[in-house]
Amino acid sequence: MTGVKCSMNGLECPQCGAVRIVKNGHAHSGKLRHLCRACSSQFTLNPTWHRISSEQVALVDRLLTERISHKGICRVTGVRRSWFRLHLKALARVVPHELDSSDSVTKKA
């Protein structure tokens, strides 16, 4: 097991090393979550990280220009909504937005 030590009593907390570990439900991936009674930290054994490929990011960016709903984009591309929100925040920092509409509105004479 990576990052988690085993003792005679079972698992040890990766944060504090205590052996007072109880089951604490399941993660969104379906893996079992554990809770340390000593320090109240939660952990999953052997967590997996799913990276978003550059092709998926490019597809998300193309779909954003097509005015598809955010939930629809996540459903089609298979990315999580939490990742999508972070991606939108990153795009908002990169793409300049002009909120002053007085320059774009022309008065008719």
Side-chain angles (χ1 to χ4, degrees):
M1 289 178 269
T2 315
V4 178
K5 300 178 231 171
C6 287
S7 68
M8 296 282 285
N9 299 336
L11 298 174
E12 288 185 7
C13 175
Q15 295 284 33
C16 68
V19 293
R20 296 181 55 211
I21 306 298
V22 294
K23 295 177 184 177
N24 192 31
H26 291 84
H28 63 275
S29 62
K31 291 191 173 191
L32 186 64
R33 303 271 304 151
H34 299 294
L35 172 70
C36 176
R37 292 282 188 174
C39 69
S40 300
S41 68
Q42 298 181 29
F43 60 94
T44 303
L45 298 178
N46 302 323
T48 56
W49 296 94
H50 299 285
R51 302 288 179 209
I52 307 298
S53 67
S54 57
E55 292 84 16
Q56 276 183 308
V57 173
L59 178 60
V60 166
D61 292 341
R62 282 196 312 269
L63 291 175
L64 277 170
T65 62
E66 296 295 328
R67 299 179 52 107
I68 299 174
S69 71
H70 293 175
K71 198 171 186 179
I73 292 173
C74 293
R75 188 174 46 247
V76 168
T77 58
V79 299
R80 296 196 180 276
R81 291 181 73 191
S82 57
W83 177 88
F84 184 74
R85 283 191 291 273
L86 290 174
H87 183 66
L88 285 178
K89 281 185 179 181
L91 286 177
R93 285 191 298 267
V94 174
V95 177
H97 288 87
E98 293 294 329
L99 296 178
D100 187 18
S101 61
S102 62
D103 295 338
S104 62
V105 176
T106 57
K107 293 183 179 180
K108 294 183 180 180

